Amino acid sequence: MEQALDKGLKATLAKFTAGLSPIALASVYSDWALHLATAPGKRLQLVEKAGKKTWRLANYAASCALTPDTGETCIEPLPQDRRFRGESWQH
């Protein structure tokens, strides 16, 4: 009974962590968070970038609300990014 409970818990946990060790994930996250916490310049850069992208998305949403049939895209993918070249993405 105990082994089945342990197996069930580990199987459920593996679904959430893509099979990676939760301890390893916590360690990597802690390392990233510590580096970010000690880099105020990087934090400022990320906040500025988020602000610019939020403003850009808000402008696009307002434009779509005012003129819904323009067909203009919000963001043009980079030339080497082939993920969005499919016909269904264009519609």
Side-chain angles (χ1 to χ4, degrees):
M1 169 84 174
E2 295 85 11
Q3 286 181 344
L5 185 61
D6 288 348
K7 276 184 159 182
L9 175 65
K10 288 180 182 180
T12 302
L13 190 58
K15 289 179 185 178
F16 290 109
T17 63
L20 299 172
S21 163
I23 295 171
L25 289 175
S27 175
V28 169
Y29 175 76
S30 298
D31 182 56
W32 171 82
L34 183 61
H35 279 88
L36 188 59
T38 58
K42 183 64 173 179
R43 287 195 316 260
L44 180 60
Q45 178 187 20
L46 291 172
V47 167
E48 287 175 354
K49 190 174 183 179
K52 287 178 184 176
K53 289 187 178 206
T54 300
W55 182 253
R56 187 173 171 183
L57 180 61
N59 284 335
Y60 177 73
S63 171
C64 287
L66 294 173
T67 54
D69 295 327
T70 60
E72 118 187 24
T73 59
C74 180
I75 297 174
E76 288 294 328
L78 297 172
Q80 65 269 25
D81 192 350
R82 296 183 302 250
R83 295 175 295 170
F84 306 105
R85 290 188 185 163
E87 185 66 29
S88 37
W89 278 103
Q90 303 306 314
H91 294 290

